[in-house]
Amino acid sequence: MATRTAKLNIEVGGEQQYKQAISEINRGNQVLNAEMKKLAEQYKGNESSMEAMRAKSDLLQRQLLQQRDKIETLRAALQNAATKYGEADRRTQSWRTQLLNAERDEIKLQRALEETNQDIEAQGEASEETAGKMTTLGDQVSSLAEKFGIHLPDSVKGALDNVDVFSAGTVAAMGAAAAGVAAVELAIKAVGAGIQAVQKL
């Protein structure tokens, strides 16, 4: 009888140890979930920024690691229950259900992490591409002005080069406007010259 009691205590103790371990992991997950909610609120309206996505990626990695710890613990608990109570026992089935749910959550976390890292990589590539297209205002205005048959003096180009660097798209728009003004000015001068020529006749 004493041996049976000791065996029951060991069995109950083992079961409780797994339950306690899972409870501790769940509490840790609750903390990480709270951190994720705080992160979402902190970067609300700016979720696509590199800083926000990197913070999210870091937190997702921590959640994924903790979820994998939970899965390992549940697998051990399932094996323990199957050995002691059998595969069809309700306790074994309960552990199996928890394991399946945990594995499902792991897949979700893994997918979220991969998508976030892909967004980070894409934004990084876009930034590098934009940086590669940076040009000076002087170069862009000079290039566009030449299309109108206007040659900017080196002194003017040099002055424009001292302006802060813009993206190619921004400079193109500014350059087009500047070249357009110059073209109009040239046209006005041509018309004026024509009028003077007529007056001399």
Side-chain angles (χ1 to χ4, degrees), residues 1 8 10 22 43 55 65 75 95 106 116 128 130 145 175 201:
M1 190 66 174
L8 287 174
I10 292 173
I22 293 300
Y43 290 100
L65 289 174
R75 283 176 179 164
W95 286 117
E106 179 193 23
T116 301
E128 290 177 1
T130 300
L201 292 177

Side-chain angles (χ1 to χ4, degrees), residues 50-169:
M50 186 67 80
E51 183 180 358
M53 289 192 296
R54 284 176 175 167
K56 181 180 179 181
S57 176
D58 178 68
L59 190 50
L60 284 170
Q61 289 180 40
R62 289 161 56 195
Q63 286 182 315
L64 187 58
L65 289 174
Q66 188 145 294
Q67 189 65 20
R68 287 172 177 169
D69 287 341
K70 181 176 181 178
I71 289 173
E72 289 181 8
T73 303
L74 287 170
R75 283 176 179 164
L78 174 61
Q79 182 61 43
N80 177 72
T83 301
K84 292 181 178 179
Y85 313 125
E87 291 288 345
D89 189 87
R90 63 176 180 78
R91 289 163 289 190
T92 304
Q93 294 303 313
S94 175
W95 286 117
R96 190 182 305 280
T97 299
Q98 291 183 63
L99 175 59
L100 290 171
N101 289 336
E103 289 174 338
R104 177 202 61 200
D105 292 340
E106 179 193 23
I107 293 172
K108 291 181 179 180
L109 286 170
Q110 183 66 48
R111 184 182 297 115
L113 178 59
E114 289 174 356
E115 290 175 354
T116 301
N117 288 340
Q118 287 172 2
D119 289 341
I120 291 173
E121 184 177 355
Q123 189 171 124
E125 291 176 354
S127 297
E128 290 177 1
E129 183 179 355
T130 300
K133 291 181 178 179
M134 298 302 277
T135 182
T136 64
L137 185 59
D139 288 336
Q140 193 67 30
V141 171
S142 178
S143 176
L144 290 171
E146 287 177 359
K147 293 180 180 179
F148 289 92
I150 304 168
H151 178 70
L152 293 181
D154 291 339
S155 58
V156 174
K157 183 178 179 299
L160 291 171
D161 285 340
N162 291 327
V163 178
D164 290 340
V165 176
F166 295 88
S167 68

Side-chain angles (χ1 to χ4, degrees), residues 148 150 176-192:
F148 289 92
I150 304 168
V181 171
V184 171
E185 183 179 357
L186 183 64
I188 292 173
K189 289 181 179 179
V191 171

